[in-house]
Amino acid sequence: YTISQDDRGFVWIGTGMGLCRFDGFKFSTDMVPDTLAGQVVGTSFKDSGGALWFGYQSGSIARYDGKSFELISAGAEINSSINGFAELNDGIILIATLNSGMFAYNSVTGKGTPVNGLEAGMYTALRTKGNAMLLGSQEGLSLYSIDNAGKMASLKVKVAELENTKIQDIQASLERNTYWIATEDQGIFQLVLNGEKYSITKTGLKFNLGSEN
């Protein structure tokens, strides 16, 4: 489901059977806490400090600092899948869930609070750049602005071309202000942002990938 690499070069792989680490020679699970063993890892994220964050379909959240795992409380009970992480300034980590909204976790204080101002939805993907936030859901893709503390978000634009389309993933392109949007059943789109305006292009058509997951 997800792959991330830590600062020591180890590759962490989230699977339907739990989290494992690849050291270049073998896969191992010995370092994963018993409380997380066997749980499905749906998403992962590396923050600016090098820590890895893992979101589980059970609603559990774990942070790995290179030495040990820490279970994270988002500030409320989460009974749905963790589907995305993103980072704001000053160590604020955004946590998007499928059915429980979004939370902003302060890595310094160790406290999490709900993000206000979001339209209700089943969130499936998340990406930020500065105070701009792309949020994918079962219903499509929206662009928000969000404050530095992660307390309040404001809707700027909905991507009309992806209305009622499930967003599977959002990845930043090497090109400035450009993103790759993976969808369910509609293939991959290239999104270019210019403030609150955008252009979007469907890709993969010449390879017959226009309607793939």
Side-chain angles (χ1 to χ4, degrees):
Y1 292 101
T2 183
I3 300 174
S4 289
Q5 187 173 30
D6 65 26
D7 284 346
R8 294 192 294 167
F10 294 120
V11 177
W12 296 82
I13 304 168
T15 77
M17 300 296 291
L19 183 65
C20 65
R21 188 184 73 179
F22 181 61
D23 63 6
F25 297 97
K26 66 179 185 298
F27 294 90
S28 58
T29 60
D30 297 343
M31 72 298 300
V32 180
D34 291 341
T35 52
L36 297 174
Q39 290 195 39
V40 180
V41 185
T43 188
S44 60
F45 174 76
K46 185 176 182 179
D47 68 25
S48 60
L52 297 182
W53 295 72
F54 300 100
Y56 291 78
Q57 290 188 2
S58 64
S60 295
I61 303 166
R63 180 174 61 187
Y64 179 70
D65 63 3
K67 297 179 180 179
S68 61
F69 281 86
E70 177 188 4
L71 289 175
I72 299 296
S73 171
E77 184 176 0
I78 298 176
N79 295 312
S80 68
S81 176
I82 307 299
N83 284 343
F85 295 103
E87 185 172 9
L88 299 174
N89 296 326
D90 302 323
I92 303 297
I93 302 295
L94 297 177
I95 303 166
T97 77
L98 184 62
N99 295 314
S100 301
M102 184 185 295
F103 299 86
Y105 180 83
N106 189 315
S107 299
V108 177
T109 64
K111 295 182 179 180
T113 56
V115 177
N116 297 309
L118 299 174
E119 291 194 338
M122 302 174 73
Y123 307 141
T124 55
L126 179 64
R127 177 70 59 170
T128 60
K129 182 179 180 181
N131 295 99
M133 180 176 74
L134 283 169
L135 180 61
S137 71
Q138 297 272 11
E139 297 81 28
L141 181 66
S142 299
L143 173 66
Y144 287 85
S145 65
I146 187 166
D147 62 20
N148 287 333
K151 293 182 178 181
M152 178 63 68
S154 176
L155 179 64
K156 296 303 180 182
V157 65
K158 291 184 178 181
V159 178
E161 292 84 350
L162 296 178
E163 186 177 1
N164 297 321
T165 299
K166 180 182 177 182
I167 308 302
Q168 301 277 52
D169 196 13
I170 306 169
Q171 293 292 330
S173 170
L174 294 177
E175 299 179 36
R176 185 178 180 182
N177 298 326
T178 302
Y179 300 87
W180 297 103
I181 313 298
T183 72
E184 182 178 77
D185 298 330
Q186 296 298 321
I188 298 174
F189 293 78
Q190 184 187 59
L191 178 74
V192 180
L193 295 178
N194 181 14
E196 296 179 16
K197 298 181 179 180
Y198 69 87
S199 62
I200 188 166
T201 306
K202 193 168 189 176
T203 66
L205 293 175
K206 66 180 180 180
F207 301 109
N208 295 320
L209 297 175
S211 299
E212 296 295 319
N213 283 316

